[in-house]
Amino acid sequence: QVQLMESGGGLVQAGGSLRLSCVASGSIFSINDMGWYRQAPGKQRELVATITSGGRTNYADSVQGRFTISRDNAENTVRLQMNSLKPEDTAVYSCNANIKGYRAKEQGVVVYDAWGQGTQVTVSS
């Protein structure tokens, strides 16, 4: 199985910056797409940014030009640099990774999606 652990969340003023990091550990052969999602209270989870194993990126319109997603394949890490933060960016940010590896001892190699527990980002007015 794999574990994803996010870090870097916190409280910042509008216009400030934060850098989120997510590290995957466990039985991993390879990681395909990775991404960041967020969910605010009372709202549905939304995609923030994704990055393929080859480094191609995709961003939600609301964060385009302000956020940058990157990855370090050697360290099984995906990062999200957030600049010019707005109060509407306030949410729990979760890391997602499509994993190829051993999910259970009774099974062979499988491909599945893994999620981190999330890290809180709060942007004050």
Side-chain angles (χ1 to χ4, degrees):
Q1 60 181 6
V2 66
Q3 180 180 30
L4 302 184
M5 183 63 68
E6 302 100 334
S7 62
L11 173 64
V12 297
Q13 288 284 130
S17 298
L18 283 175
R19 188 186 188 190
L20 305 183
S21 181
C22 173
V23 180
S25 61
S27 183
I28 302 171
F29 277 21
S30 62
I31 302 178
N32 301 309
D33 293 357
M34 304 184 77
W36 288 94
Y37 297 76
R38 67 186 183 186
Q39 186 170 25
K43 298 183 179 180
Q44 65 179 8
R45 184 178 65 190
E46 64 176 345
L47 184 149
V48 177
T50 60
I51 184 168
T52 69
S53 60
R56 298 293 295 270
T57 59
N58 184 50
Y59 298 92
D61 291 341
S62 59
V63 306
Q64 183 73 45
R66 299 188 297 119
F67 292 8
T68 302
I69 188 171
S70 62
R71 65 189 289 167
D72 186 331
N73 293 329
E75 297 183 352
N76 291 333
T77 299
V78 61
R79 310 183 201 280
L80 185 69
Q81 178 67 48
M82 304 184 293
N83 299 325
S84 301
L85 284 163
K86 304 174 181 179
E88 49 263 46
D89 294 320
T90 297
V92 174
Y93 285 70
S94 299
C95 172
N96 167 263
N98 185 252
I99 303 294
K100 181 180 181 180
Y102 291 107
R103 190 177 186 181
K105 184 179 180 180
E106 298 79 13
Q107 298 178 310
V109 177
V110 296
V111 177
Y112 63 98
D113 286 327
W115 291 86
Q117 64 181 6
T119 184
Q120 178 71 46
V121 172
T122 303
V123 184
S124 61
S125 301

